[in-house]
Amino acid sequence: ETGVTQTPRHLVMGMTNKKSLKCEQHLGHNAMYWYKQSAKKPLELMFVYSLEERVENNSVPSRFSPECPNSSHLFLHLHTLQPEDSALYLCASSQGVTASSGNTIYFGEGSWLTVV
Amino acid sequence: AQTVTQSQPEMSVQEAETVTLSCTYDTSESNYYLFWYKQPPSRQMILVIRQEAYKQQNATENRFSVNFQKAAKSFSLKISDSQLGDTAMYFCAFGGAQKLVFGQGTRLTINP
């Protein structure tokens, strides 16, 4: 059982579709993250939210749109994606955003996205 | 900017053997944490062990231990008495004042 739950676990979408990935954390954390994991690439940090405020946006294309309605929920809205966006999308949470304070990041199981 | 390097893309050992995964990092910060995460085929990334930079004593969690050499900026993970369930991708990560920085990972296979 994980403290960070992601749905759906698998998603196949066409390039013209609009879909959303959902993440919920049950750990009482204040920070939430979206990471992208592609084959043979390091983990790519996409977005960071702290207390529902976006604190980092790493030059992610606008076809990815995050939403954090409260500190327990995080969404990634997807529209007009490209085949190269196919990847594993990992949600994570931590108590705070500063890793040097010992804030360990806890990950969800990931959502496999395939764009056709 | 901080960088994390894992020089071993893949490793393979027999069950019950000891294996060491290497990790080096580059930073000018003095206060930071280092982490090892495990990602088994089920894909959930799990924290294995973490080390505070100001602590000289190496962290240990059951069969997992680290060799932290601060001056050399090295942070290796040792897995003793390896088990089939240890088969996974292992990521080293640096946690400083900014975001967590991950290495590219080492794919470890434990053979029966």
Side-chain angles (χ1 to χ4, degrees), chain A residues 1-4 9 35 37 40-43 45 48 56 58 88 90 97-110 112, chain B residues 29 31-35 37 39 41-47 50 52 54 89 91 94-105:
Chain A
E1 185 174 337
T2 175
V4 181
R9 295 292 312 279
Y35 284 86
Q37 187 176 25
K40 299 182 180 178
K41 279 188 176 182
L43 277 166
L45 178 63
V48 181
E56 187 152 349
N58 283 344
L88 179 68
L90 293 168
V97 294
T98 306
S100 60
S101 300
N103 288 304
T104 300
I105 290 183
Y106 295 85
F107 288 86
E109 293 179 284
W112 274 108
Chain B
E29 297 182 36
N31 182 30
Y32 53 86
Y33 277 72
L34 294 160
F35 306 82
Y37 281 88
Q39 189 179 37
S42 67
R43 289 291 176 173
Q44 185 180 11
M45 195 89 71
I46 304 167
L47 177 68
R50 71 177 198 176
E52 300 164 78
Y54 63 86
M89 282 288 290
F91 292 94
F94 171 92
Q98 302 298 321
K99 62 187 179 185
L100 205 61
V101 178
F102 286 87
Q104 292 191 294

Side-chain angles (χ1 to χ4, degrees), chain A residues 50-85:
Chain A
S50 176
L51 295 171
E52 302 135 52
E53 295 287 330
R54 191 189 308 180
V55 297
E56 187 152 349
N57 175 355
N58 283 344
S59 302
V60 179
S62 60
R63 56 186 185 268
F64 294 92
S65 175
E67 178 189 0
C68 187
N70 55 62
S71 59
S72 299
H73 293 85
L74 184 64
F75 295 89
L76 187 62
H77 302 301
L78 316 168
H79 63 98
T80 59
L81 295 191
Q82 304 298 311
E84 60 265 28
D85 297 322

